[in-house]
Amino acid sequence: MFGFGAACILIWQIQSPIFHTILDTSAFLASGLIALLLWDISKRTNQPLAWFLAVAFGVLTAAELLHTLIALERLSWETAAEAEVRWRAGTWAPSAYISAIGVGAALLLRTYPQRLGGAFALALILQYIALLVVFQVLPRYLLPGFFGITRPTLIGVPLLWMAAAFGYWRLEKGPQVASAVAASASVMALAHCFMLFSQPADYPSLTVGTGMVAHFGKVAADLLLLLSLTQIGAADTARRLRAESELTRLNKYLEQRIRERTSELVGANERLSQALEQRDLLLREVYHRVKNNLQLIDSIVLLQVRRLADPDAKLALKGLRRRLYALGLVHQQLMGSSDLKTFDVSPFLKELSENIIEGIGGRDISLSVKAIPLNVGLDVAIPLALLVTELVTNSLKHAFPDGKGKIEVVLDRGEDGTMVLVVSDNGTGYDILEASKQKAHGLGTALIDGLVSQLKAIIRVRSMNGTISEIQFAHDGEP
Amino acid sequence: MTGLEKVVLIVEDEHVIAMGLSAQIEDLGLEVCGTADTAEDAVAQARVHRPAIILMDVRLRGKADGVDAAQAIYESVGSKIIFITGSREQKTIDRIKLDHPFATLFKPVSDRQLAATVSEAMVAAGQA
């Protein structure tokens, strides 16, 4: 586009002040739009490069406004011809330099924080004023010299643009803004080469129109950048919209999954608590059945006792009923416990011992049960219940010939952490070996031996103001 | 309550257990007027025999349980009812409490527990 336009201008030697003014105005408008676009991109992407470029183009826009106002003869207090040479040419150079310097400096500043933008703008403005002063002193047009160059003072501009284009092009993995600037800067460099050959409007020469070509090129470069930036902005917006819609979709999917998982968990929870309830119900039922069967057996034994005449046989069956009662009582305690697995053994021992004493009918025998609270399961409770039954029964049968006395049941934790069950009486004392020889008690002693080894316990029997049976067993309280 | 007989009605769905209880009651020197294994039978027999004491199991054959039977008997006959239950569930215990029980015994019931409770009930029924 630039090439075609430049060719037309050169061939037809267009040097119209109106065309010149239109191009100046376009450059000003394009710079302003570029500054706004860059500012917008920097806000959205938080890129310092776009921000410093926006500052540079902002300053440039102000400079071009000045140049354009002169072209529109709004600031002229001299004759039009004087102004044309003095101010039009005089403000071109500073704004040309300041734009190349600004764009180049933005590249160098790209790693600095954005708050330096103000200082950068001030530096550019001061530089512009300095350039303005310098270019009032420097000659504007010279006779064609080296290579026919008429404005050697402008030689720096295309060189700076070339450097900038190279710098932006080299920016590895640079933002899209950088490649847009690189392309625009290349066109700028080319356009400003033409300016080196420009001459005053009334100067007849073969190179008439080179100034216009430079102006045209500048506008073309500006438009190129403007277009690229618009495209970047549009692409960004499209990407953002896509990302947002993807996010919305993902959110909906997640919410849906959460709802599904929640309802699954609620269902699983319900099933689990139902299963637990079912388990409790089943366990209660089993304990109930066991207890009922024990009572059934007890009833049969009871009925059998009534039909027997032999006192030894009756005694043996009554002994059996005591043991059945101990087992039934364990199951009764289990059914009443909250976890259906363990229960506190201390009230149980009291109830058990009381029942044995009253069952055998020792009205003048006092009982004391001192048990620390201890949660036990079936595996400990059954042997413990039977042991207490046997030991208390032994004391009742052998210790008190006159039917008076005292029995003590103690459950305590020893210093080494083991449990100690002590059943003692203040009776006459008896030889357990001797007692075991008696027919009726052979079973009791055998049971005690078996239960002690089941509990992996140690039993010590002493006769000292009565009989003391001490059973030591390990129990960590966690059945 | 007047017009009660000095007899005991046993309500229990396990017949062998009922036999055992009958033997225990007889050993106490009391007469057993009958045994029932359903709530309906229990109510019917209670109306016929008007026993001073009823030993009532909670679990029975049929839909209605001992608690239902006890309610009906309490309203129509007024016997002293001793519950003998295998359950220790709070729900059952709470229901029993609504039925004006004379006592509630938990299985296994020892001989002396039964003897003591029955004789207390006889005193309360004015039949001792």
Side-chain angles (χ1 to χ4, degrees):
Chain A
M1 186 190 76
F2 169 56
F4 179 72
C8 290
I9 292 166
L10 288 174
I11 288 163
W12 288 315
Q13 303 216 326
I14 297 166
Q15 183 76 320
S16 150
I18 296 169
F19 184 49
H20 185 177
T21 304
I22 289 170
L23 288 176
D24 278 344
T25 313
S26 306
F28 154 66
L29 286 173
S31 300
L33 284 173
I34 288 167
L36 285 174
L37 266 174
L38 284 166
W39 175 76
D40 180 46
I41 290 172
S42 81
K43 283 284 156 240
R44 272 194 286 112
T45 60
N46 214 23
Q47 279 178 29
L49 178 62
W51 170 242
F52 288 120
L53 278 169
V55 170
F57 274 92
V59 173
L60 176 62
T61 306
E64 286 187 336
L65 177 63
L66 190 65
H67 185 70
T68 307
L69 288 174
I70 286 162
L72 293 170
E73 297 177 9
R74 301 309 304 168
L75 292 178
S76 176
W77 56 92
E78 295 172 324
T79 63
E82 274 175 342
E84 181 70 19
V85 175
R86 186 178 173 80
W87 291 109
R88 214 163 188 175
T91 51
W92 167 270
S95 67
Y97 270 105
I98 211 73
S99 65
I101 290 168
V103 170
L107 178 68
L108 301 176
L109 284 173
R110 70 180 186 279
T111 52
Y112 289 87
Q114 299 194 4
R115 60 190 150 78
L116 291 180
F120 181 44
L122 191 67
L124 285 178
I125 290 164
L126 289 174
Q127 218 166 1
Y128 175 76
I129 292 166
L131 284 166
L132 209 56
V133 172
V134 169
F135 277 95
Q136 290 314 305
V137 178
L138 288 175
R140 283 166 202 95
Y141 299 103
L142 293 174
L143 286 172
F146 188 63
F147 278 115
I149 290 170
T150 51
R151 299 184 73 175
T153 53
L154 290 178
I155 188 79
V157 180
L159 292 177
L160 278 172
W161 275 119
M162 270 186 241
F166 184 69
Y168 278 95
W169 175 68
R170 280 285 308 275
L171 203 60
E172 267 179 50
K173 290 180 187 169
Q176 286 169 297
V177 173
S179 49
V181 173
S184 169
S186 313
V187 178
M188 278 288 187
L190 193 61
H192 279 284
C193 284
F194 283 90
M195 202 59 186
L196 299 176
F197 304 96
S198 88
Q199 290 168 343
D202 51 352
Y203 196 90
S205 160
L206 279 176
T207 56
V208 165
T210 47
M212 286 304 98
V213 171
H215 277 70
F216 183 70
K218 200 174 112 178
V219 172
D222 278 350
L223 288 178
L224 179 65
L225 185 56
L226 194 60
L227 203 69
S228 310
L229 292 179
T230 314
Q231 222 163 13
I232 290 168
D236 276 356
T237 309
R239 237 197 328 276
R240 207 175 53 237
L241 284 176
R242 259 205 309 279
E244 274 170 11
S245 82
E246 180 70 3
L247 201 66
T248 313
R249 201 182 63 75
L250 267 175
N251 267 340
K252 276 186 185 159
Y253 172 72
L254 271 178
E255 277 168 19
Q256 175 67 22
R257 282 295 296 145
I258 287 169
R259 265 198 299 277
E260 280 171 15
R261 280 298 289 157
T262 307
S263 82
E264 274 169 28
L265 282 175
V266 167
N269 233 350
E270 240 163 56
R271 281 195 296 281
L272 203 65
S273 60
Q274 271 172 9
L276 273 177
E277 266 173 39
Q278 197 71 21
R279 164 199 166 269
D280 281 7
L281 208 70
L282 271 174
L283 265 180
R284 279 212 179 82
E285 186 60 31
V286 167
Y287 290 149
H288 185 87
R289 291 279 160 101
V290 169
K291 210 147 51 73
N292 217 47
N293 287 348
L294 285 172
Q295 207 197 345
L296 201 71
I297 298 165
D298 186 56
S299 297
I300 295 168
V301 175
L302 177 94
L303 293 168
Q304 182 71 72
V305 171
R306 279 160 57 91
R307 280 166 173 76
L308 286 174
D310 180 8
D312 273 353
K314 279 189 176 224
L315 220 57
L317 288 186
K318 277 183 180 168
L320 176 56
R321 288 195 65 208
R322 262 197 307 282
R323 287 151 192 154
L324 285 172
Y325 178 80
L327 300 184
L329 203 58
V330 169
H331 281 89
Q332 186 204 82
Q333 299 293 310
L334 275 177
M335 275 187 80
S337 84
S338 54
D339 63 355
L340 296 173
K341 267 160 66 184
T342 60
F343 62 91
D344 184 3
V345 85
S346 89
F348 164 77
L349 287 180
K350 194 169 165 61
E351 197 169 343
L352 182 68
S353 311
E354 274 173 5
N355 181 66
I356 297 163
I357 289 173
E358 290 184 35
I360 292 177
R363 214 174 292 167
D364 293 327
I365 291 164
S366 70
L367 171 75
S368 126
V369 178
K370 289 178 195 152
I372 58 161
L374 178 74
N375 268 343
V376 292
L378 260 184
D379 53 341
V380 174
I382 297 280
L384 216 54
L386 290 176
L387 275 171
V388 169
T389 304
E390 299 309 321
L391 291 171
V392 171
T393 305
N394 272 355
S395 285
L396 277 170
K397 290 201 167 165
H398 303 286
F400 313 114
D402 58 352
K404 276 186 189 169
K406 192 179 167 192
I407 295 178
E408 214 172 48
V409 177
V410 176
L411 181 71
D412 205 356
R413 195 180 282 279
E415 277 176 17
D416 57 351
T418 58
M419 299 306 303
V420 187
L421 171 74
V422 183
V423 178
S424 59
D425 62 60
N426 63 350
T428 55
Y430 61 95
D431 186 343
I432 196 160
L433 286 174
E434 199 59 42
S436 72
K437 282 175 191 161
Q438 293 176 21
K439 211 169 135 193
H441 278 275
L443 177 61
T445 313
L447 283 178
I448 290 172
D449 284 348
L451 295 165
V452 163
S453 63
Q454 183 176 331
L455 274 180
K456 299 200 173 16
I458 302 165
I459 184 164
R460 280 184 290 268
V461 182
R462 285 173 291 155
S463 275
M464 194 208 297
N465 300 325
T467 304
I468 303 169
S469 304
E470 200 176 291
I471 294 170
Q472 196 179 352
F473 61 100
H475 187 263
D476 55 6
E478 292 292 326
Chain B
M1 194 67 64
T2 53
L4 295 179
E5 301 298 316
K6 195 184 175 182
V7 290
V8 179
L9 173 66
I10 292 166
V11 185
E12 165 68 63
D13 66 337
E14 287 279 0
H15 285 238
V16 177
I17 295 175
M19 283 163 71
L21 285 172
S22 298
Q24 280 175 293
I25 294 297
E26 280 161 17
D27 286 351
L28 293 173
L30 294 168
E31 191 193 329
V32 175
C33 63
T35 58
D37 65 356
T38 64
E40 294 76 17
D41 192 18
V43 176
Q45 288 207 43
R47 284 188 179 145
V48 172
H49 299 297
R50 305 189 65 75
I53 293 173
I54 299 176
L55 298 185
M56 182 75 79
D57 188 12
V58 175
R59 281 201 192 192
L60 296 174
R61 284 179 212 286
K63 275 183 193 164
D65 66 3
V67 182
D68 301 318
Q71 186 67 38
I73 293 166
Y74 176 80
E75 281 163 9
S76 60
V77 184
S79 309
K80 297 292 168 200
I81 294 167
I82 299 167
F83 275 100
I84 299 178
T85 173
S87 170
R88 273 205 146 171
E89 267 179 282
Q90 200 54 46
K91 217 168 71 185
T92 313
I93 294 168
D94 289 345
R95 278 188 66 216
I96 290 173
K97 276 183 187 160
L98 294 175
D99 277 358
H100 319 279
F102 178 76
T104 305
L105 303 176
F106 296 101
K107 291 179 189 176
V109 180
S110 64
D111 294 353
R112 52 116 190 161
Q113 243 182 333
L114 186 71
T117 313
V118 167
S119 66
E120 278 168 31
M122 272 304 172
V123 171
Q127 301 285 340

